[in-house]
Amino acid sequence: MIMKRNENLRKELQMKSSDAVLITSPENRFYLSGFKGSSGVLLITREKNYLLTDFRYMDQAREEAPDFEIINHERNVYPVIMSYVKKHTIQKMGIEFGKLPVQDFKEIENLNPSLNLFNCEEAIYKLRMIKDQEEIGYFKKGIALCDQAFNHILSFIRPGMSEKELGLELEFFMRRGGADGIKENHVIASGERSSLPHGQATGRIIKKGDFVKMDIGAKINGYYTDFTRTVVIGEPSEKQREIYNIVRQAQEVALEAIGPGKVCSELDHLARSVIAEAGYGVNFGHSLGHSIGLAVHESPAMRATDHTVLEPGMVITVEPGIYIPGFGGVRIEDFIVITEDGYENLTTATKELQIIPV
């Protein structure tokens, strides 16, 4: 898979008449080489792959990135890189403008003022939009852990525990199940706090009558997953049932329409219309969904301003919500892979409103 990704990148280089790319971000470094160390730079030319790292990671780099020539740089990496730029007579080189610190950019310019630098991020993110079978395998493991964690928490959650206790139990369960980690922005928000789309867990005590919104994600081999369910503690009120059912309907309408060839902005509008027609349009303020991978939020996104056409191999979340300040909120989120003839929903947890007995 690494070789295929590099072949695709070289095709992009040829289209841009570029001689090389310099990769400094951890996500793209791992995507293009397989190297997981915390320090390293990739130089990928038309003919050769280089991974420059320091003494601490030499053996690890040789093991994880066998398709790269491993270079040990003792101190500043950029003079070493420039020596290889000169060796390969590189005149035009792509760098990650959004990831490279300004001082590093200036150093590269000072070391080689004649070098033509351009932003290669768009080309790499274009490659990352389409997931291969290896990546999809990681997603399946991660979302299965989320499903299992949710099923486990239904018998664990009870009035009197705090949001933080609930969040820790979910994290421990997924880590015990094999997750490398969790997505950093876990949302555990109860009662009136469930109206916060990204409400982080606090010491608030969960009580009877609360909505509890749980947005979680297991990380497998660097790949994130995303999962949200909302439950209610005790018998729900009429308004709670109404809001939950509207959100579920909006998601179902979107899922019925999703598939290859569909436009992200149009799908967002479709689900948003359901919520707006029910009178809660102002209470749905985020996009319908987003792609995910080595970062929690990747492109494309199902929002009004993103007109990307969905293609097989794209992964995307479908997560409409309603958030009412002072009352609470609901979000339901599934994780899907676009296929040749539709999509595969990797999320299996029930979407029936779960009522936690008290």
Side-chain angles (χ1 to χ4, degrees):
M1 292 299 181
I2 294 295
M3 290 292 287
K4 182 65 174 177
R5 294 170 192 173
N6 279 276
E7 288 173 14
N8 291 335
L9 178 59
R10 285 191 168 91
K11 290 177 183 176
E12 292 290 328
L13 288 179
Q14 290 175 359
M15 291 175 61
K16 296 181 180 296
S17 302
S18 174
D19 302 311
V21 292
L22 182 68
I23 304 299
T24 53
S25 68
E27 299 91 0
N28 287 333
R29 182 176 66 222
F30 171 69
Y31 179 76
L32 292 166
S33 72
F35 176 59
K36 297 178 182 178
S38 63
S39 176
V41 175
L42 305 183
L43 178 65
I44 300 174
T45 73
R46 290 175 181 260
E47 306 85 18
K48 190 81 174 178
N49 295 334
Y50 297 102
L51 167 54
L52 296 94
T53 187
D54 60 59
F55 172 81
R56 298 170 296 169
Y57 298 105
M58 292 298 290
D59 289 342
Q60 180 181 342
R62 293 187 187 100
E63 179 180 347
E64 294 177 344
D67 300 317
F68 283 70
E69 181 176 331
I70 311 303
I71 307 298
N72 182 359
H73 71 87
E74 295 183 356
R75 295 179 182 174
N76 191 345
V77 68
Y78 293 112
V80 181
I81 290 170
M82 287 304 111
S83 69
Y84 285 91
V85 166
K86 182 178 180 180
K87 175 182 177 180
H88 289 277
T89 60
I90 294 169
Q91 297 179 330
K92 184 178 181 180
M93 183 172 74
I95 61 173
E96 301 164 285
F97 277 27
K99 305 292 185 181
L100 192 68
V102 173
Q103 63 185 26
D104 290 9
F105 179 80
K106 292 294 185 183
E107 183 172 1
I108 293 171
E109 281 193 321
N110 291 336
L111 287 168
N112 194 335
S114 65
L115 185 61
N116 181 1
L117 300 173
F118 73 98
N119 189 3
C120 66
E121 285 182 291
E122 183 178 348
I124 297 172
Y125 291 143
K126 181 181 176 182
L127 297 179
R128 283 174 54 181
M129 285 173 69
I130 307 298
K131 272 55 178 184
D132 56 43
Q133 288 305 308
E134 182 178 320
E135 293 172 296
I136 291 171
Y138 298 138
F139 291 135
K140 287 182 176 181
K141 291 179 182 178
I143 207 66
L145 276 176
C146 294
D147 283 324
Q148 294 161 18
F150 177 69
N151 292 333
H152 163 72
I153 216 68
L154 291 177
S155 60
F156 179 86
I157 187 172
R158 64 188 184 278
M161 69 171 43
S162 70
E163 294 172 346
K164 285 188 175 181
E165 287 179 86
L166 181 59
L168 284 171
E169 181 65 20
L170 285 162
E171 180 175 354
F172 290 158
F173 183 93
M174 290 188 290
R175 285 184 179 272
R176 284 194 297 263
D180 303 333
I182 61 170
K183 70 186 184 94
E184 288 77 5
N185 61 337
H186 262 199
V187 173
I188 309 293
S190 62
E192 67 282 353
R193 292 191 71 254
S194 61
S195 70
L196 302 174
H198 276 191
Q200 305 291 292
T202 68
R204 184 189 183 280
I205 301 300
I206 295 168
K207 58 182 184 291
K208 181 180 178 180
D210 282 352
F211 268 141
V212 181
K213 184 172 79 262
M214 295 168 281
D215 182 342
I216 62 177
K219 190 177 181 183
I220 302 292
N221 198 40
Y223 285 86
Y224 291 95
T225 51
D226 219 348
F227 170 104
T228 308
R229 291 293 186 268
T230 306
V231 304
V232 65
I233 309 298
E235 193 62 28
S237 67
E238 184 177 338
K239 187 171 183 179
Q240 285 176 320
R241 285 188 183 274
E242 176 198 15
I243 291 168
Y244 190 92
N245 289 335
I246 293 167
V247 172
R248 185 173 176 184
Q249 182 188 1
Q251 194 203 44
E252 288 174 350
V253 167
L255 288 172
E256 287 175 5
I258 284 177
K262 299 300 179 69
V263 180
C264 287
S265 56
E266 294 175 1
L267 293 165
D268 176 84
H269 176 73
L270 195 62
R272 196 169 301 279
S273 296
V274 173
I275 293 174
E277 288 169 8
Y280 293 99
V282 297
N283 303 107
F284 179 25
H286 58 71
S287 64
L288 174 62
H290 58 88
S291 186
I292 191 169
L294 293 170
V296 175
H297 290 88
E298 295 189 358
S299 295
M302 288 197 288
R303 62 164 65 99
T305 56
D306 192 328
H307 307 299
T308 302
V309 176
L310 294 178
E311 300 178 41
M314 289 181 175
V315 299
I316 202 155
T317 66
V318 185
E319 48 179 308
I322 292 176
Y323 313 92
I324 303 173
F327 176 78
V330 171
R331 181 162 66 248
I332 304 171
E333 178 181 24
D334 284 0
F335 190 104
I336 70 172
V337 180
I338 304 299
T339 62
E340 295 289 344
D341 55 1
Y343 69 88
E344 180 183 3
N345 193 337
L346 302 187
T347 311
T348 62
T350 181
K351 284 181 272 194
E352 294 290 337
L353 176 58
Q354 297 300 292
I355 302 170
I356 307 300
V358 297

